[in-house]
Amino acid sequence: MPELVFFFSLAPAILALILLLKLFKRKKKSYNLPPGNMGWPYLGETLGYLKPYCAITTGDFMEQHISRYGKIYKSNLFGYPTIVSVDPELNRYVLQNEGRLFECSYPSSLGGILGKWSMLVLVGDMHKNMRMISVNFMSSARLRTHLIQDVETQALLVLKSWQVDKKILAQDEAKKFTFNLIVKNIMSMEPGTPESEKLRREYITFMKGIISAPLNLPGTAYRRALKSRSNILQLIEHNMNERLQKTNGDGKKVEDDDLLGWVLKHSNLTTEQILDLILSMLFAGHETSSVSISLAIYLLQGCLKAVEELREEHIRIAKAKEQAGQRSGLNWEDYKHMEFTQCVINETLRLGNVVRFLHRKTLKDVQYKGYDIPCGWKVLPVFAAVHLDPLNFDQPHAFNPWRWQNGKTSTTTNNFMPFGGGLRLCAGSELAKLEMAIFIHHLVLNYDWDIAEPDQPFAYPFVEFPKGLPIKVYDHQCLT
Ligand code: HEM
């Protein structure tokens, strides 16, 4: 008995000693880190990394770091020790090992604004669940049967409202198109109704907060965005409750022809989870594709040869339909014939890099190409710099859609990852391409356009045209 008392009185001291030894051992663990610069305490190099630059370039910060340290370098970004990777193989390795060696890890400010159940911040089984719902919502069967018609209707609605010879903000118009399309498909909201206009206004304030510094102080864009977030959620919840009331609260009897209806009917998500899912689809589903359409308008304007070739392709499609007596809108067969258009889309995504890099962290120590990446460090796979690297793409700063023709890309497709990859590959990639293709179809069949005021895409890092891409359009009636 006295031995036991003696043992227990010493136990805390023994435990402390073991912990100290472990800590000492961990401290002594020496990593072979890639070269780089950790910058200032806490801030690190974040300000330099986020400094806006022209989106069709790699940017000074990245260029200088690559030339000084190589394609894998260490830094301190967003408050964490970080490995930045411009190495296409490491980028693929990171995405393919999601959940095993690496995990999605966006800054907590993004979670604060998109919500803790947003797909962009969820990991593990809950992410799989939510992903399954959104992949199902944008399945190829739904694209063929439902979405293609909606895409065309919404594209025409916007394009037909354009007045020739007047200044148009192409970026706003593209946003209108993709926003109307997504709100119709997630909540059956018709464009132009007071409800959808209110949602659009709130969303603009919300978006300004996402791209601002995450300072939750009175008067800041972030604070205003949090307020808009709560207004948007109220709107979605109101829509949801109205449906449930119509069916006496029984979610299983709700119509499932939009995303909200589908989750109410087929999933067991809580109200909070449904609201965050709808909000994150609104975010993921229209910002990126509208910027891509603006980029296509911008890049094509500088390459009239590509516009001519596009026009030939789309006239062929429209005439074939006419000859076959098809009076209905575009169908999947027509879309499949838009081959050169797909080259234009790829080239726009390669050069414009709407999503420039992703946020990941390591779940354990990882060795790669002789370097160590310690457990808990952030890893940023930077696609933009891979897409603009002359070793991967010949004359990478030239807009050259023909590089994608006839499978010429087989050596480079591995390095082309505009939609990410692995378990978190963009759930809306096919819809995004469909939106771009159909918008381009009606654009080139109806209009010529000029840039009305000099503007260029900037990476903030969200890509945006500061002036909204002012253009002037002129009638170009191909089919008369
Ligand atoms: C050209 C347009 C688009 C680009 C460049 C793009 C790019 C991306 C990228 C790179 C990711 C991966 C994020 C990560 O791994 O951390 C992603 C995820 C996602 N995207 Fe897109 N996207 C586009 C359009 C769309 C559209 C139209 C929708 C829906 C309507 C959509 C829905 C999603 C969703 C739900 C995720 C999360 C997937 C997951 O975590 O499993 N995206 N997108």
Side-chain angles (χ1 to χ4, degrees):
M1 202 60 177
E3 288 89 343
L4 263 182
V5 174
F6 178 69
F7 175 77
F8 280 114
S9 60
L10 271 189
I14 294 171
L15 247 162
L17 196 69
I18 294 172
L19 274 175
L20 260 174
L21 278 174
K22 274 203 158 173
L23 211 73
F24 184 65
K25 213 170 150 196
R26 185 176 295 174
K27 268 208 167 151
K28 272 195 68 181
K29 191 167 185 177
S30 68
Y31 290 112
N32 180 27
L33 296 167
N37 173 15
M38 301 306 275
W40 296 89
Y42 192 74
L43 257 187
E45 298 189 293
T46 313
L47 295 182
Y49 186 83
L50 291 179
K51 194 171 164 204
Y53 59 93
C54 174
I56 52 179
T57 70
T58 315
D60 286 347
F61 177 95
M62 195 61 74
E63 257 174 31
Q64 282 162 8
H65 278 64
I66 297 170
S67 72
R68 202 173 296 160
Y69 306 122
K71 290 187 178 177
I72 303 177
Y73 60 84
K74 70 168 186 259
S75 182
N76 183 353
L77 297 171
F78 308 101
Y80 287 88
T82 302
I83 301 296
V84 178
S85 165
V86 179
D87 176 309
E89 285 117 54
L90 177 54
N91 290 357
R92 275 196 301 279
Y93 184 71
V94 170
L95 297 187
Q96 281 158 7
N97 283 290
E98 174 80 20
R100 287 189 291 267
L101 301 177
F102 304 91
E103 188 174 79
C104 192
S105 170
Y106 282 88
S108 55
S109 55
L110 196 70
I113 204 156
L114 282 177
K116 67 172 192 271
W117 300 107
S118 155
M119 274 186 71
L120 279 187
V121 292
L122 282 177
V123 292
D125 286 346
M126 197 58 213
H127 168 256
K128 266 191 214 136
N129 247 347
M130 293 281 204
R131 182 178 170 82
M132 197 270 291
I133 293 173
S134 51
V135 167
N136 184 67
F137 167 63
M138 287 172 289
S139 67
S140 52
R142 245 183 83 82
L143 282 179
R144 285 158 200 245
T145 53
H146 283 69
L147 287 165
I148 190 165
Q149 291 154 12
D150 279 349
V151 172
E152 186 171 25
T153 309
Q154 299 304 334
L156 280 170
L157 205 68
V158 166
L159 284 164
K160 286 201 167 155
S161 73
W162 287 7
Q163 290 187 333
V164 292
D165 235 355
K166 289 235 165 92
K167 195 163 86 180
I168 291 168
L169 295 180
Q171 181 172 257
D172 288 1
E173 296 296 303
K175 280 191 182 171
K176 218 186 278 174
F177 159 51
T178 57
F179 184 82
N180 288 345
L181 179 73
I182 200 82
V183 292
K184 175 143 193 316
N185 277 280
I186 59 180
M187 287 192 291
S188 296
M189 273 189 194
E190 290 298 332
T193 57
E195 201 188 18
S196 79
E197 281 307 301
K198 178 167 182 344
L199 185 60
R200 204 154 77 89
R201 278 195 306 276
E202 292 290 359
Y203 187 82
I204 291 169
T205 317
F206 170 77
M207 203 42 217
K208 281 186 187 146
I210 286 196
I211 57 180
S212 71
L215 294 172
N216 188 3
L217 297 171
T220 58
Y222 190 75
R223 171 71 66 94
R224 281 195 295 275
L226 288 174
K227 178 84 187 86
S228 285
R229 166 184 159 80
S230 105
N231 292 343
I232 294 171
L233 294 187
Q234 266 177 28
L235 236 145
I236 305 173
E237 196 169 3
H238 176 73
N239 188 317
M240 189 169 119
N241 288 337
E242 267 187 352
R243 292 179 193 210
L244 289 173
Q245 269 160 19
K246 276 188 202 150
T247 57
N248 298 327
D250 181 357
K252 302 299 165 218
K253 288 186 192 149
V254 172
E255 293 288 333
D256 61 357
D257 45 8
D258 61 12
L259 180 65
L260 183 56
W262 197 93
V263 282
L264 286 174
K265 189 162 184 167
H266 301 287
S267 80
N268 295 320
L269 298 184
T270 63
T271 301
E272 196 192 357
Q273 290 167 340
I274 294 178
L275 297 182
D276 279 357
L277 170 70
I278 299 284
L279 181 64
S280 63
M281 288 298 281
L282 196 62
F283 168 68
H286 100 280
E287 281 299 328
T288 41
S289 38
S290 63
V291 175
S292 308
I293 291 170
S294 316
L295 281 163
I297 295 174
Y298 172 77
L299 294 167
L300 281 169
Q301 201 279 332
C303 184
L304 294 183
K305 190 166 168 265
V307 178
E308 273 168 28
E309 195 156 335
L310 273 175
R311 219 165 244 149
E312 279 168 24
E313 176 164 284
H314 291 286
I315 291 176
R316 250 193 330 270
I317 293 169
K319 288 209 161 139
K321 281 179 86 65
E322 217 171 74
Q323 275 160 16
Q326 286 178 16
R327 296 200 164 271
S328 57
L330 292 164
N331 58 36
W332 202 252
E333 271 308 295
D334 304 324
Y335 176 57
K336 285 287 138 204
H337 285 119
M338 299 182 185
E339 285 169 13
F340 183 65
T341 311
Q342 291 301 330
C343 300
V344 167
I345 292 172
N346 278 352
E347 187 64 350
T348 302
L349 295 175
R350 182 194 69 77
L351 196 49
N353 288 297
V354 180
V355 178
R356 310 187 75 78
F357 62 93
L358 304 179
H359 288 260
R360 296 293 188 265
K361 71 173 183 205
T362 46
L363 294 172
K364 40 179 100 152
D365 287 353
V366 174
Q367 275 85 42
Y368 195 83
K369 290 192 179 169
Y371 291 131
D372 292 313
I373 311 179
C375 176
W377 277 45
K378 286 255 195 177
V379 180
L380 304 187
V382 183
F383 305 130
V386 173
H387 293 165
L388 297 172
D389 183 341
L391 288 180
N392 302 325
F393 296 92
D394 190 31
Q395 295 190 20
H397 293 97
F399 178 72
N400 174 10
W402 296 273
R403 73 170 87 233
W404 298 96
Q405 271 181 327
N406 308 324
K408 271 187 212 153
T409 51
S410 52
T411 49
T412 51
T413 37
N414 260 347
N415 299 334
F416 181 56
M417 305 180 86
F419 295 108
L423 292 179
R424 308 186 77 105
L425 175 74
C426 173
S429 59
E430 290 308 316
L431 173 60
K433 287 193 265 184
L434 185 70
E435 289 176 62
M436 289 179 79
I438 291 186
F439 195 91
I440 288 174
H441 174 84
H442 289 293
L443 175 71
V444 298
L445 286 185
N446 288 290
Y447 296 116
D448 281 314
W449 66 99
D450 278 340
I451 303 293
E453 251 180 71
D455 199 5
Q456 57 175 333
F458 265 79
Y460 289 104
F462 284 97
V463 177
E464 201 169 63
F465 287 84
K467 294 185 194 162
L469 186 58
I471 59 166
K472 267 192 180 174
V473 296
Y474 313 98
D475 274 330
H476 187 110
Q477 296 302 336
C478 304
L479 299 171
T480 47

